[in-house]
Amino acid sequence: MDNQEIERKWRIKELPEKLEGYESIKMEQAYLNVSPTVRIRKENSEFFLTYKGKGEGISHTEYNLPIDEKAFYHMLPKCDGRVIKKTRYVIPLDGGLKAELDIFDEPFKPLIIVEVEFPSVEAADAFKAPEWFGEDVSMDFRFKNAALAISEDFSPEDML
Amino acid sequence: MDNQEIERKWRIKELPEKLEGYESIKMEQAYLNVSPTVRIRKENSEFFLTYKGKGEGISHTEYNLPIDEKAFYHMLPKCDGRVIKKTRYVIPLDGGLKAELDIFDEPFKPLIIVEVEFPSVEAADAFKAPEWFGEDVSMDFRFKNAALAISEDFSPEDML
């Protein structure tokens, strides 16, 4: 288990239909450190500490470790910048893949990003994005959630 | 790889001879959270984020994840209580085991604790401690480094 994550992310052209029919997760997350990433996150009623190693391109090491509500709220005031709140819709794609569609709340609203995690770099390269996906922003640092959290001059309009 | 750690710890009766002949590591560590443990540590010139899951008895889940000097000093002011500074001597024991002898600096001086990590609970139970080991304090919460860091009424004399 080398805990390697391979992800690509995109802007979107339009929202898929009938979003409310998909699994959704309310997320709140904040950052103790940006590089390597040390993040705390609430997912509905579960809580995690996440470490993301410095990666190359679309690949990085990632560990998701369980914490509890008390630990989350103990560390939340220690975090940098702003708390990111978003709703994630999990949308099945062809080939067993899943689109994770993140609709951000204030102050990042109306930002929307979609991510897909892949089993290999080859699968990521070969992926044919659905029609509703927009520009690939995998390599654009501004679209990293950690960068959003600590950004001081975020204007959502630049990101759409 | 289930990242399970099985450790026992003891007070000491006396210091082993010729400590300066053993490998030693200068450590500085502090805690973002106590339970589960989220710790940052400097080991000589290396830096780590460590997560220790809530364990049972002498066993717990542990992940040691690399960070860098910048990340360490970014998170250090976020930590609770006091920074623990100590010198760890690594002393080979029979059967391929190692004693990690921690000699604490101020404000915990003259505290000294020795720990041994085992490959299994059976090995931990079967272990015959060397003569220079003192009382087994594996189950005494006060001897957890995290507890030391956040203790407000620590008196080293009670711990010897």
Side-chain angles (χ1 to χ4, degrees):
Chain A
M1 186 169 73
D2 69 350
N3 294 89
Q4 209 64 16
E5 289 246 325
I6 301 156
E7 283 173 349
R8 288 176 65 188
K9 65 173 72 178
W10 294 261
R11 291 171 157 129
I12 66 158
K13 281 189 206 143
E14 57 186 357
L15 281 177
E17 288 183 5
K18 298 186 184 152
L19 264 191
E20 64 283 0
Y22 297 108
E23 177 194 353
S24 71
I25 307 164
K26 283 271 180 197
M27 295 185 167
E28 289 185 35
Q29 63 194 53
Y31 295 83
L32 292 157
N33 200 66
V34 166
S35 180
T37 296
V38 183
R39 182 189 73 198
I40 57 172
R41 182 191 266 173
K42 180 178 193 297
E43 299 185 9
N44 290 336
S45 59
E46 294 188 299
F47 301 87
F48 299 94
L49 175 77
T50 299
Y51 166 92
K52 296 188 188 191
K54 294 178 183 184
E56 292 199 7
I58 60 172
S59 172
H60 64 265
T61 306
E62 181 164 329
Y63 290 87
N64 272 299
L65 305 164
I67 60 173
D68 59 19
E69 182 171 17
K70 187 178 169 197
F72 178 83
Y73 286 108
H74 179 72
M75 290 189 277
L76 191 59
K78 303 174 187 284
C79 290
D80 305 318
R82 292 174 287 189
V83 178
I84 291 180
K85 298 181 184 183
K86 60 188 184 184
T87 301
R88 169 167 294 180
Y89 293 92
V90 182
I91 302 167
L93 301 176
D94 292 343
L97 298 172
K98 287 182 280 188
E100 295 176 335
L101 177 69
D102 287 353
I103 300 186
F104 289 73
D105 290 347
E106 298 294 350
F108 303 103
K109 196 173 176 181
L111 182 62
I112 300 177
I113 299 173
V114 61
E115 290 187 12
V116 180
E117 188 181 324
F118 297 96
S120 68
V121 173
E122 292 70 29
D125 288 342
F127 180 67
K128 294 256 185 279
E131 266 302 308
W132 58 275
F133 281 36
E135 182 193 358
D136 185 328
V137 293
S138 305
M139 305 309 291
D140 187 335
F141 181 79
R142 296 175 303 148
F143 287 86
K144 287 182 72 119
N145 280 245
L148 289 173
I150 63 165
S151 64
E152 286 173 9
D153 57 350
F154 175 78
S155 60
E157 295 67 30
D158 295 344
M159 309 284 284
L160 299 177
Chain B
M1 185 169 75
D2 68 351
N3 296 88
Q4 208 64 17
E5 290 246 324
I6 300 156
E7 284 172 349
R8 287 175 66 188
K9 65 174 70 177
W10 295 261
R11 290 171 157 127
I12 66 158
K13 280 188 205 142
E14 58 186 359
L15 282 176
E17 288 184 4
K18 297 185 183 154
L19 264 192
E20 64 283 0
Y22 297 108
E23 176 194 352
S24 71
I25 307 164
K26 283 270 183 200
M27 294 185 168
E28 289 184 34
Q29 63 194 52
Y31 294 83
L32 291 157
N33 199 64
V34 165
S35 180
T37 297
V38 182
R39 181 188 74 197
I40 56 172
R41 182 191 266 174
K42 180 178 193 296
E43 299 186 8
N44 290 337
S45 59
E46 293 188 299
F47 301 87
F48 299 95
L49 175 77
T50 299
Y51 166 93
K52 296 188 188 190
K54 295 180 184 185
E56 291 199 9
I58 59 173
S59 172
H60 64 266
T61 306
E62 182 165 328
Y63 290 86
N64 273 298
L65 305 164
I67 58 173
D68 59 19
E69 181 170 18
K70 188 177 167 198
F72 178 83
Y73 286 108
H74 178 72
M75 290 189 277
L76 192 60
K78 302 174 187 285
C79 289
D80 305 316
R82 292 173 287 189
V83 178
I84 292 180
K85 298 181 183 184
K86 61 189 183 183
T87 302
R88 170 167 294 179
Y89 293 91
V90 182
I91 303 168
L93 301 176
D94 291 344
L97 298 172
K98 287 183 279 189
E100 296 177 334
L101 177 69
D102 286 351
I103 301 186
F104 289 74
D105 291 346
E106 298 294 352
F108 303 103
K109 195 175 176 179
L111 182 63
I112 300 177
I113 299 173
V114 62
E115 289 187 13
V116 180
E117 189 182 322
F118 297 96
S120 69
V121 173
E122 292 71 28
D125 287 343
F127 180 67
K128 294 257 185 279
E131 265 303 306
W132 57 275
F133 280 37
E135 182 193 357
D136 184 329
V137 292
S138 305
M139 304 308 290
D140 187 336
F141 180 78
R142 297 175 304 150
F143 286 86
K144 287 183 73 118
N145 281 243
L148 289 172
I150 63 165
S151 64
E152 286 172 8
D153 57 349
F154 175 77
S155 59
E157 294 68 28
D158 295 343
M159 308 285 285
L160 298 178

